[in-house]
Amino acid sequence: MQKITAGAPETQSADLVAGNIAQLKALFPELVTEGAKGASVNLDVLKALVGDATVTDAEEKYGLNWHGKRRARQLALAPSTGTLRPCPEESVNWDTTQNLMIEGDNLEVLKLLQKSYAGKVKLIYIDPPYNTGKDFVYPDNFQDSIKNYLEMTGQIEGGAKISTNTEAGGRFHTDWLNMMYPRLRLARNLLCEDGVLFVSIDDREVENVKKLGLEIFGEECFVAVLSVLVNPRGRHLDKFFAQTHDNIVVFAKNVDVEGAITGMAKEGAMLEEYDKEDARGKYREIGLRNRNQAFNPVTRPTLYFPLYVNPETGQISLERDAQHSEEVWPDTPDGVKTCWTWSTKKIASDGSLLTAAKVSDGSWRVFRKDYLAGEAGEVATTLAKSIWLDKEFNNDYGRKSVKDLFGAAVMDFPKSPLLLQRIVDIATRPSDIVVDFFAGSGTTGHAVMQQNAEDGGRRRYILVQLPEPLSTANKEQSTAAEFCQKIGKPMTIAELTKERLRRAGKKIMETAVDAGLDVGFRALKLDDSNIRAWNGQTPEVAQALLEHQDNILQGRTEQDLLYELLLKLGLDLCVPIQQQVIASKSVHAVGAGVLLACLAESITAAEVEKLAEGIVQWHRQLAPAGETTCVFRDSAFADDVAKTNMAAILQQHGIQNVRSL
């Protein structure tokens, strides 16, 4: 039973403004737009509708615009004040894995990943929250985004309200666009030059996703909108049509770079077409004449020319000679002039792939040989189609996959891992990085591991998932929340993500041929920076000065500090880390000595020389290829003399970059 409170609509008089707007929208839908406070009337449109000649087109331009767009753009540029704290106890194969599972708000995490992974990611796949009018939980307090994130996810006290995104609020599309825009802008930075973005989305926001992509990537970098059959029975809650499909919008970082999307392996009936064979291998014959009559001597004059056939061998030449005496033009049997699909330049270089045969009416037809395997023996491929009807891609397979792993249907609409595996297959090479920053149940990570198991790849994944709280009192969340309770984990979606990865990896290894297959992950969590920020607003300045004497937050470990260093220096978060004890202090060597870090809480004056000499000796053994940075905890040194002596000894022996936190 829902309690009627003082602010409920039932306790208030009729909202006359809302009624007026509703009537205007019924008459003239284009009048009502989304403003700063919700639904509002566009006065310029109103003037135009009543024939007011004072309206100008000064503000008219092509593109997508909404209230808050400028702020969303600024938000993407604002630096993050957070860090990622390592959680080895929640990880799988911490010391050897190259995969990452990051728990946190994806906007802040994307910012933190920029230095380490900009330009290194081949595929980004995301399945963002569909704009259904229900809650989507993402921080909106930009003054202190990390604090707001911790409050909203229940990690600190604060009681931050989770706002809804309903059509009645008048900002149905606006709020969603403000959430998506900065994330897509940051995501683009992570892609390598032949990188691609795949976004699963339903019909409500597919056009907005496409327009966002056109603005962020450029119109020329739009690749396709794929239609995927995800519900063969159709969603019968719809009013007019039972929707059976989802959309996947695809953009490329640079469409001019080869390798953005590879073809699919040819299989089944298609292989039967390769019914001829020569010394190079099996091939099929494809007519060289362009069957599209829109391409003809008028539209493509450079592709209309004669070829000459050797009637004895079927070989082709661009020139008539004694052997090549039969002239062939790209004309249809009934005399319509078309053109060739190859230019004279292409024929001059690859003419050996052409052959000709005499057909029943006595004329000659020219064919090109399409080989099943490439010259290097690589698997033959064909372009993926834009409509995917494979039954393994529908949502039932996604639900079954989760239920098989968890023993319960803990997620409502998980994507089929076979769908994600198809995307990974056509959009990555065996050693690429795949990112999903709306990880949900972890299907993308599951698909990457499975694809590696099947083709021997060494792909890596980086997943990001908000630890959105689950409640046993919520009917839609109760199964998932009870499962978390059962396994003794916090009741959040991020915990389901991690558990899916653990169970999927274990299952894959049961049948994997490669015993060294990477089915682990390093778990990291978003949090405030380990380095204490100066609070100039406190009235107790003397107390603040004393607290700031040690600028590392209380309770933070050496490993916490080490991973913040990796982020700030732009190093891979899965880079090899070695450790030695020198002068009773732990010293870490990252990336074979590119970074040396001693983050002990105390270094006395008497310990400086022995510690410095030990670091120098280890540095010589490591012999890093590049320049080394050596970092210490600033508050660890007994005094400035000890700190100066440490720096001097290291610099005398070639370690010039000595820093302190």
Side-chain angles (χ1 to χ4, degrees):
M1 184 180 295
Q2 187 176 4
K3 184 178 180 181
I4 298 177
T5 60
E10 293 89 339
T11 65
Q12 302 173 10
S13 60
D15 189 337
L16 299 179
V17 172
N20 291 338
I21 290 176
Q23 291 183 56
L24 285 171
K25 186 176 182 180
L27 291 171
F28 307 109
E30 67 268 42
L31 271 184
V32 180
T33 185
E34 294 181 8
K37 297 181 180 179
S40 64
V41 174
N42 189 320
L43 296 180
D44 284 341
V45 173
L46 177 60
K47 289 178 181 179
L49 289 173
V50 298
D52 191 332
T54 62
V55 178
T56 69
D57 61 0
E59 295 300 316
E60 290 185 358
K61 62 179 180 179
Y62 179 80
L64 178 64
N65 199 19
W66 70 92
H67 181 78
K69 182 178 181 180
R70 183 182 294 108
R71 191 181 188 189
R73 185 182 291 114
Q74 293 169 344
L75 183 59
L77 300 174
S80 175
T81 58
T83 190
L84 299 177
R85 299 181 65 185
C87 304
E89 68 284 356
E90 298 181 25
S91 306
V92 176
N93 302 335
W94 173 272
D95 292 328
T96 58
T97 186
Q98 294 291 298
N99 301 316
L100 295 174
M101 164 54 205
I102 304 173
E103 183 179 304
D105 167 35
N106 52 21
L107 179 62
E108 293 299 313
V109 173
L110 285 170
K111 291 178 181 180
L112 291 172
L113 295 178
Q114 293 296 306
K115 281 188 176 182
S116 296
Y117 296 98
K120 297 179 181 178
V121 174
K122 179 62 174 66
L123 166 65
I124 296 177
Y125 169 83
I126 56 171
D127 182 16
Y130 291 0
N131 203 352
T132 61
K134 298 181 180 180
D135 299 340
F136 53 84
V137 188
Y138 287 90
D140 55 5
N141 178 359
F142 306 139
Q143 299 302 313
D144 190 348
S145 54
I146 300 293
K147 181 182 178 183
N148 188 59
Y149 152 71
L150 294 171
E151 289 178 348
M152 294 185 80
T153 53
Q155 297 180 62
I156 62 174
E157 295 295 330
K161 184 178 181 293
I162 297 173
S163 59
T164 56
N165 179 44
T166 62
E167 289 187 84
R171 291 170 58 89
F172 186 68
H173 297 291
T174 297
D175 289 345
W176 194 86
L177 287 167
N178 282 333
M179 183 269 290
M180 288 296 297
Y181 181 88
R183 289 165 172 83
L184 289 183
R185 183 163 286 281
L186 289 165
R188 183 186 182 278
N189 296 341
L190 297 180
L191 290 174
C192 55
E193 279 306 296
D194 60 352
V196 285
L197 168 73
F198 282 63
V199 184
S200 283
I201 198 69
D202 69 355
D203 287 349
R204 287 176 180 260
E205 297 292 353
V206 63
E207 290 303 320
N208 282 336
V209 166
K210 184 177 176 182
K211 288 175 182 176
L212 282 178
L214 292 176
E215 178 167 325
I216 293 169
F217 285 80
E219 190 163 349
E220 71 282 359
C221 291
F222 168 70
V223 174
V225 177
L226 310 178
S227 291
V228 183
L229 181 66
V230 294
N231 186 354
R233 294 179 296 277
R235 194 174 61 189
H236 293 283
L237 296 177
D238 295 328
K239 188 173 181 180
F240 298 108
F241 295 95
Q243 188 164 342
T244 61
H245 76 283
D246 267 356
N247 311 287
I248 301 179
V249 185
V250 185
F251 279 89
K253 177 79 171 284
N254 188 339
V255 292
D256 295 326
V257 177
E258 292 291 331
I261 304 288
T262 60
M264 296 165 49
K266 295 175 180 177
E267 56 186 18
M270 185 174 288
L271 296 179
E272 297 175 6
E273 299 177 15
Y274 294 81
D275 55 354
K276 294 180 172 57
E277 190 170 1
D278 60 14
R280 178 173 161 180
K282 290 185 176 182
Y283 67 91
R284 62 178 177 173
E285 291 181 342
I286 298 177
L288 191 67
R289 180 176 60 80
N290 197 322
R291 292 178 175 273
N292 187 344
Q293 294 184 13
F295 296 89
N296 53 57
V298 175
T299 60
R300 296 293 189 276
T302 60
L303 295 178
Y304 187 75
F305 50 85
L307 291 174
Y308 300 94
V309 178
N310 182 330
E312 300 296 327
T313 65
Q315 292 179 319
I316 300 297
S317 173
L318 287 166
E319 304 291 339
R320 186 196 295 270
D321 55 32
Q323 287 77 36
H324 301 86
S325 56
E326 298 287 340
E327 185 177 79
V328 183
W329 290 83
D331 298 341
T332 67
D334 55 358
V336 176
K337 291 178 170 58
T338 60
C339 60
W340 303 117
T341 57
W342 282 15
S343 66
T344 55
K345 183 178 180 180
K346 174 73 171 172
I347 293 172
S349 64
D350 296 322
S352 62
L353 298 179
L354 300 181
T355 186
K358 186 176 284 190
V359 293
S360 58
D361 64 359
S363 63
W364 289 87
R365 284 189 63 191
V366 180
F367 302 91
R368 64 178 177 86
K369 296 180 180 180
D370 176 44
Y371 285 91
L372 180 59
E375 291 186 52
E378 66 270 16
V379 176
T381 60
T382 183
L383 285 178
K385 305 301 187 288
S386 60
I387 298 178
W388 294 1
L389 302 176
D390 308 57
K391 64 181 181 180
E392 296 86 359
F393 294 170
N394 72 54
N395 288 340
D396 286 343
Y397 278 79
R399 283 188 286 269
K400 183 179 184 303
S401 174
V402 168
K403 193 170 182 179
D404 287 347
L405 290 173
F406 288 88
V410 298
M411 301 291 280
D412 288 333
F413 303 105
K415 289 289 186 288
S416 166
L418 294 173
L419 169 62
L420 270 295
Q421 202 176 329
R422 161 73 64 82
I423 293 172
V424 169
D425 183 32
I426 66 174
T428 67
R429 296 171 294 261
S431 59
D432 284 329
I433 299 176
V434 178
V435 168
D436 181 351
F437 52 88
F438 287 100
S441 68
T443 309
T444 300
H446 186 167
V448 169
M449 291 187 289
Q450 185 63 51
Q451 185 63 28
N452 284 342
E454 293 182 12
D455 67 9
R458 288 293 183 266
R459 297 171 188 84
R460 305 167 54 188
Y461 65 73
I462 300 175
L463 306 187
V464 185
Q465 176 56 43
L466 188 77
E468 184 179 343
L470 298 168
S471 171
T472 54
N474 186 321
K475 184 179 179 181
E476 294 180 354
Q477 301 176 352
S478 59
T479 302
E482 288 166 3
F483 177 82
C484 290
Q485 282 184 326
K486 181 180 177 182
I487 63 173
K489 301 290 185 182
M491 292 188 294
T492 72
I493 291 179
E495 291 299 332
L496 296 178
T497 314
K498 286 180 277 190
E499 190 62 21
R500 164 76 173 276
L501 297 175
R502 295 184 191 106
R503 294 180 178 223
K506 185 177 180 180
K507 184 175 181 180
I508 289 169
M509 286 304 296
E510 291 174 359
T511 56
V513 176
D514 181 3
L517 184 68
D518 186 358
V519 294
F521 63 89
R522 286 188 177 183
L524 304 165
K525 292 184 181 181
L526 177 67
D527 208 331
D528 288 309
S529 171
N530 299 295
I531 303 169
R532 191 191 306 273
W534 169 251
N535 181 9
Q537 305 299 319
T538 178
E540 300 293 336
V541 177
Q543 181 63 28
L545 284 169
L546 287 173
E547 291 176 355
H548 205 71
Q549 189 172 2
D550 183 355
N551 65 331
I552 304 301
L553 289 181
Q554 199 169 22
R556 300 300 171 96
T557 66
E558 290 188 20
Q559 202 169 36
D560 290 333
L561 296 174
L562 187 60
Y563 273 78
E564 183 156 7
L565 280 173
L566 297 184
L567 285 170
K568 298 301 164 59
L569 295 175
L571 298 175
D572 193 307
L573 296 179
C574 289
V575 68
I577 301 175
Q578 300 168 264
Q579 183 176 338
Q580 278 195 13
V581 176
I582 301 173
S584 302
K585 312 294 180 187
S586 292
V587 180
H588 308 273
V590 179
V594 172
L595 170 65
L596 294 171
C598 178
L599 303 169
E601 294 184 9
S602 172
I603 301 175
T604 65
E607 294 171 325
V608 166
E609 187 173 351
K610 187 177 180 181
L611 177 58
E613 289 175 352
I615 291 174
V616 168
Q617 184 178 354
W618 195 21
H619 178 255
R620 287 173 180 162
Q621 293 171 0
L622 293 168
E627 197 171 16
T628 295
T629 298
C630 193
V631 182
F632 298 88
R633 188 191 291 244
D634 191 80
S635 60
F637 291 101
D639 50 39
D640 288 343
V641 173
K643 184 163 59 174
T644 302
N645 288 343
M646 175 67 76
I649 296 171
L650 295 176
Q651 288 168 353
Q652 285 171 8
H653 291 84
I655 304 176
Q656 299 300 319
N657 293 330
V658 184
R659 302 286 184 265
S660 63
L661 283 174

